Amino acid sequence: MNATALPINSEWQGNPDAVVIGSGPNGLVAACVLARAGLKVLVLEAHQTRAGGAVGSEEATLPGFIHDVGAAFFPWGALSPAFRELPLGEHGLRWLRATFESCHPAPDGSYACIARDHDRTAAHFGNPKDGDRWRRIATWYSSIEPHLIDALLRTFPAVRPLSRLGPQHFPRLGGVFLSRGRTLAERWFTGAAARRVLPGLALHADVGPDDRFGAALGFMLGMTATTGGYAVPAGGARAISDALTGCLRGSGGRLRLGARVAGIMVRKGRAVGVRLADGEEVAARVVLADTDVGALMLGLLQRDDVPGWVADFMHKYPRGWGTFKVDWALDGPVPWSVQPAGASAVVHAGDSIDDLARFTAQVRSGALPDHPYLVIGQQSLVDSTRAPAGCHTLWAYTHVPSVIEGGWGTHAEKLADCIDGRIESLAPGFRARVLARRVVSPEQLQTMNANLVGGDIGGGSNAWHRQLLFRPLFPYFRYRMPVKSLYLCSSYAHPGAGVHGMCGYNAAKLVLKDLS
């Protein structure tokens, strides 16, 4: 089939060429790429009122306070090839940035900050020697970022971007990617403030400071903070979903809300459409699933359509940690003891590498953390639309076991109080600023979005052995699933977690290649 057989923006009748299950960022990106190529595309979303999955915003605490329901800061917003290619700005997406992208304070008053300006970072990175070291590393990274981003985010193996990267950089990158987070931090930096930065960033996912090959994630999150930054979409995370939806409709694609897919129709080993929960059947030439891979293999497909060894693996699929999230409505800004924290998009609470390692061990043992590591978001510092005049929102999460003894009903508020205390230790007077609080447990996150199984926001574990050709499992790492004409386009596929849309982008490009 010629992928440009249908004119863009054409009105179409009959069955779609492609059905996309789920309207998270990856699903919407895939749909946009296909629709812009001229295919008839239909996106089916189970949510009754909005698209976007975990990328959305709502008045979760008090009227006028807009909180992001899931993802809130987007280092890939300006860097992702998918987002760069789609005309999202034409559909209202506008990025805002704080003076500092990230601040890492401790109760002893020490801190380190990351800014897009290398000199500003160097002046706030613990001590002058560590600041100068960071400047040199970030300058080197910026020289290779375009090719490195392509190598990491495009369909694996991305041979052409790797060849453009230049072999002279491979030894240095290898020294990063083959290291543990603690080892890299202690090799590069001298002070405790600087050393906790990269291992702390790696704990955005389930990667602890002493994990084998664990340095890569923290390195990339730290370096992209110096280029794309931890950008905030004006109006809330929902602005990303709105822009993607606008792009889809502008290209002739369609979106149906309240359309829950109950199964994928398979004939002679090929996906031929989907069946909705109300019994309606929608025929299509290809089906793309922006879903949990376990739900796809064990629920949407019939048992006879899935190889036995694949089904067995899915029953024990390696999940990431659970996530516990809190939103606050505040009557003013957080009174941080460390002044630069008050100008940072994100504040990370982790006192030291040993503190981060202890936290990691507690969560892996199934215990609730008693001194939780926190990722704290201050969107309203740069976006005044998030709260009434003079007020602010605050957003934070930590990692926890997905399931705990006694259930979350008996533990959620207690852990939230612990988190309040953790912030109070870094910002005396914080509790007095709180007007309202919403607590979201792992099970509530899954209820909000079925892809967040057990509160796992990473599309499964992000350990080194769950990446590249092992994501989601070999040999199904290039988006094609065991059933022909069925593709996985969620964060459970390469390159995994993060709002970059590349799982959907890469899958859609493969669909176009297969159809042509």
Side-chain angles (χ1 to χ4, degrees):
M1 174 183 174
N2 185 345
T4 59
L6 295 173
I8 292 176
N9 294 321
S10 65
E11 290 294 328
W12 50 271
Q13 303 295 325
N15 294 324
D17 295 307
V19 163
V20 179
I21 306 171
S23 68
N26 283 305
L28 288 175
V29 165
C32 288
V33 170
L34 296 176
R36 283 163 60 83
L39 271 66
K40 299 184 292 184
V41 182
L42 174 63
V43 179
L44 300 173
E45 169 56 49
H47 200 287
Q48 295 286 340
T49 60
R50 68 171 180 85
V55 178
S57 311
E58 61 189 23
E59 292 184 335
T61 54
L62 295 173
F65 290 84
I66 306 301
H67 303 273
D68 293 334
V69 299
F73 296 90
F74 303 92
W76 301 109
L79 303 177
S80 163
F83 288 169
R84 290 202 308 265
E85 181 176 310
L86 298 175
L88 302 183
E90 297 175 14
H91 295 279
L93 183 60
R94 183 166 59 93
W95 296 109
L96 306 173
R97 293 178 175 85
T99 301
F100 293 102
E101 308 303 326
S102 180
C103 184
H104 302 252
D108 64 5
S110 66
Y111 73 93
C113 288
I114 303 174
R116 287 182 296 146
D117 183 306
H118 298 338
D119 291 335
R120 179 175 290 150
T121 301
H124 294 274
F125 209 71
N127 64 56
K129 183 176 181 180
D130 288 340
D132 184 62
R133 177 66 167 164
W134 179 273
R135 181 195 288 112
R136 286 184 280 122
I137 293 167
T139 300
W140 162 67
Y141 170 80
S142 66
S143 72
I144 65 172
E145 182 182 71
H147 300 314
L148 182 60
I149 290 291
D150 272 1
L152 294 176
L153 295 189
R154 293 189 185 271
T155 301
F156 179 81
V159 177
R160 185 174 296 177
L162 278 174
S163 66
R164 291 172 176 169
L165 184 59
Q168 70 273 21
H169 298 293
F170 290 170
R172 193 171 185 180
L173 283 172
V176 173
F177 285 20
L178 296 178
S179 295
R180 303 174 194 267
R182 182 194 295 268
T183 303
L184 184 70
E186 292 178 346
R187 185 165 74 231
W188 278 355
F189 306 116
T190 62
R195 284 178 170 179
R196 64 177 173 255
V197 171
L198 297 183
L201 293 173
L203 277 170
H204 279 220
D206 61 329
V207 179
D210 297 309
D211 290 1
R212 183 178 299 176
F213 309 137
L217 180 57
F219 170 78
M220 289 305 301
L221 286 175
M223 292 299 105
T224 53
T226 70
T227 54
Y230 292 167
V232 174
R238 63 189 178 194
I240 299 175
S241 302
D242 290 346
L244 286 168
T245 301
C247 179
L248 173 65
R249 288 173 171 153
S251 301
R254 297 177 181 173
L255 167 69
R256 283 178 58 183
L257 299 178
R260 182 176 297 278
V261 174
I264 295 170
M265 299 187 296
V266 179
R267 294 175 191 153
K268 297 181 179 180
R270 181 181 297 275
V272 295
V274 299
R275 183 179 63 261
L276 304 187
D278 63 4
E280 178 186 356
E281 295 185 350
V282 181
R285 301 188 65 191
V286 295
V287 176
L288 294 89
D290 183 13
T291 67
D292 162 42
V293 67
L296 174 63
M297 298 293 191
L298 302 177
L300 296 179
L301 289 171
Q302 295 294 314
R303 180 64 183 83
D304 291 344
D305 296 321
V306 180
W309 69 271
V310 173
D312 291 342
F313 180 77
M314 288 300 148
H315 281 295
K316 56 181 186 295
Y317 189 79
R319 303 285 179 183
W321 294 333
T323 303
F324 186 93
K325 178 175 176 286
V326 185
D327 296 302
W328 296 268
L330 306 178
D331 66 5
V334 179
W336 300 106
S337 296
V338 172
Q339 185 275 330
S344 297
V346 186
V347 177
H348 293 83
D351 296 351
S352 65
I353 295 181
D354 286 341
D355 180 41
L356 300 174
R358 179 175 179 272
F359 166 82
T360 299
Q362 283 187 315
V363 177
R364 286 185 174 155
S365 74
L368 285 181
D370 56 13
H371 194 61
Y373 158 84
L374 298 176
V375 180
I376 306 165
Q378 304 184 104
Q379 300 93 321
S380 59
L381 288 182
V382 295
D383 185 359
S384 61
T385 68
R386 304 293 187 100
C391 296
H392 283 272
T393 61
L394 196 69
W395 168 106
Y397 74 81
T398 188
H399 290 301
V400 293
S402 294
V403 179
I404 56 174
E405 186 177 353
W408 282 105
T410 61
H411 293 282
E413 291 298 328
K414 181 180 178 180
L415 180 57
D417 289 342
C418 181
I419 290 172
D420 282 0
R422 185 84 166 89
I423 298 175
E424 182 81 17
S425 72
L426 299 169
F430 163 71
R431 285 193 177 105
R433 295 268 168 101
V434 176
L435 299 173
R437 181 179 80 180
R438 180 181 72 160
V439 176
V440 185
S441 68
E443 60 188 13
Q444 289 171 312
L445 282 173
Q446 183 173 342
T447 298
M448 176 192 78
N449 185 325
N451 284 3
L452 308 182
V453 179
D456 172 13
I457 61 175
S461 174
N462 280 270
W464 68 271
H465 58 282
R466 300 307 314 148
Q467 305 295 347
L468 304 176
L469 73 163
F470 302 111
R471 192 170 189 92
L473 77 165
F474 183 85
Y476 303 111
F477 62 92
R478 287 172 63 87
Y479 314 102
R480 300 183 184 99
M481 292 292 98
V483 172
K484 293 180 180 179
S485 301
L486 175 63
Y487 302 80
L488 180 68
C489 68
S490 69
S491 61
Y492 288 84
H494 174 77
V499 181
H500 42 61
M502 290 303 294
C503 311
Y505 181 91
N506 294 339
K509 290 294 187 180
L510 190 63
V511 168
L512 294 174
K513 178 180 178 181
D514 289 350
L515 289 179
S516 65

